[in-house]
Amino acid sequence: MAAKKLRRARLSQELCERLSRHQITTCQDFLCLSLLELMKVTGQSYYDVQKLLRKVSQACAPKMQTAYEMKLRKSVNPSSAFLSTTLHSLDKVLHGGVPCGSLTEITSPPGCGKTQFCIMVSVLATLPVSMGGLGGTVIYIDTESAFSAERLIEIAGNRFPTYFDSDEKLFCMTRSIHLYRELTCGSVLKRIMSLEEEIISKKVKLIVIDSVASVVRKEFDTRLQGNLAERSNFLARGASVLKYLAEEFSIPVILTNQITTSLSNGFPIQADLVSPADDLSLSEGASGSEKRESGCVTAALGNTWSHSVNTRLILQYHDFPTRQLLVAKSPVAPFSAFLYTIEKSGLVLQDGEDQTWEGTDPALQTIRVRNAALKDT
């Protein structure tokens, strides 16, 4: 909430411009100053500055609401509660689709369709509300240069041939997706911090970051002293701002994560297990023997990140060309699994093949993955 811009705290335009000249643009910038400093930069009296402090504090403080009010708001306007994936069995398990107002993580080994899923839901977010979409624009932050405009058009045209029946409609859809290529942690965080104004001016209804793990793993070698703390700080700051944006504007935020392979004595070993929890080699408290002997394919960002996401979907290999989608973490859904293929229209569930299991804690269940490359090695 502290990232909220001062102009949204209902301060006068003249005062906002004056503060901006001193690089004071957010509620956090304002509240971090002493009374004396605020009197100097605003040119106002002690009592007027106290009034301003109360006003800014109230503007960025979380609003209290009851559980009944939350339920009523979502039931009155269901489109503000979920973004349908059009994968009907998955939507049913998730009670409507990807939840708005929270963070959803898509985790998988390479080639299972993380980016395909992100491109597909980007198309869906631009559709009219009457078609199950959100009727808005999309912010797509690409850290791996994996986004394909050609694939975007192919998915849209094949998934909704009746709606996208002309080049003009396809062109209009592509203009609704704003792509940013950010290749460093610093640029990703800077982009995230500046999104609030863009969400308002461009009527953004979905934020996608593909992927978070890519920039983190390139820049933070956790074997070096201090890097683990810096990485945790970066992830915590990014997740905090994204959660604020998701909740403030009631929009879904989708992030992709990578699955990595643990090594044994420096050499890759046969690894056919996925844990939707954390990378043991990065987790606080993992012993040296646990790190060496784990032999698991694991999500790459550790405990700090794992507790930040509200919903986690895992994509994994099954029998070619079939893959498997797992609901591994959700506040509303049981542990579930669905078989799917990747077609011209995006992800397609296999009819009659969906399965649902219920467990006490999906995050602790071991999930098998085929890793052909390592087996060949």
Side-chain angles (χ1 to χ4, degrees), residues 64-223:
M64 188 281 294
Q65 59 180 331
T66 65
Y68 176 75
E69 289 171 336
M70 291 176 65
K71 184 178 186 302
L72 186 63
R73 187 181 73 249
K74 291 184 177 181
S75 62
V76 170
N77 186 12
S79 66
S80 67
F82 297 97
L83 168 60
S84 170
T85 66
T86 66
L87 304 173
H88 301 298
S89 297
L90 177 62
D91 286 347
K92 184 177 179 181
V93 165
L94 292 175
H95 292 229
V98 175
C100 297
S102 64
L103 308 189
T104 297
E105 180 190 72
I106 313 297
T107 300
S108 85
C112 284
K114 295 188 298 293
T115 299
Q116 305 291 323
F117 185 92
C118 290
I119 292 175
M120 185 177 79
V121 294
S122 296
V123 173
L124 299 173
T126 68
L127 294 176
V129 175
S130 60
M131 292 182 64
L134 299 178
T137 63
V138 178
I139 296 290
Y140 196 114
I141 300 175
D142 180 14
T143 69
E144 296 184 300
S145 300
F147 182 88
S148 168
E150 291 79 7
R151 183 64 176 136
L152 174 73
I153 293 170
E154 182 180 41
I155 289 176
N158 284 277
R159 202 167 194 90
F160 302 99
T162 305
Y163 182 74
F164 293 108
D165 56 358
S166 67
D167 290 344
E168 183 180 353
K169 282 190 175 180
L170 285 168
F171 178 68
C172 184
M173 180 271 297
T174 61
R175 292 184 62 185
S176 298
I177 298 174
H178 304 277
L179 178 69
Y180 298 101
R181 286 207 164 97
E182 308 293 356
L183 304 179
T184 66
C185 289
S187 63
V188 169
L189 188 59
K190 185 177 180 181
R191 178 63 61 186
I192 291 173
M193 299 290 285
S194 68
L195 285 181
E196 185 176 19
E197 295 295 309
E198 219 168 335
I199 291 172
I200 298 169
S201 62
K202 295 179 178 176
K203 298 181 179 178
V204 173
K205 296 295 183 180
L206 171 66
I207 297 173
V208 176
I209 302 181
D210 182 23
S211 78
V212 176
S214 175
V215 289
V216 170
R217 292 176 64 200
K218 282 189 294 186
E219 294 192 29
F220 294 105
D221 182 348
T222 53
R223 293 171 297 182

Side-chain angles (χ1 to χ4, degrees), residues 287-309:
S287 69
S289 60
E290 287 173 328
K291 296 174 187 178
R292 289 191 301 272
E293 296 173 5
S294 60
C296 287
V297 181
T298 50
L301 296 181
N303 288 332
T304 300
W305 182 257
S306 181
H307 292 292
S308 297
V309 298

Side-chain angles (χ1 to χ4, degrees), residues 221-265:
D221 182 348
T222 53
R223 293 171 297 182
L224 300 179
Q225 187 176 5
N227 271 10
L228 181 58
E230 288 185 29
R231 188 198 66 166
S232 296
N233 181 56
F234 164 76
L235 292 171
R237 290 181 65 193
S240 175
V241 175
L242 290 171
K243 277 179 174 288
Y244 158 69
L245 295 174
E247 293 171 5
E248 178 76 4
F249 299 101
S250 189
I251 61 176
V253 175
I254 296 178
L255 314 115
T256 67
N257 191 358
Q258 300 168 340
I259 285 175
T260 57
T261 304
S262 298
L263 303 181
S264 178
N265 297 324

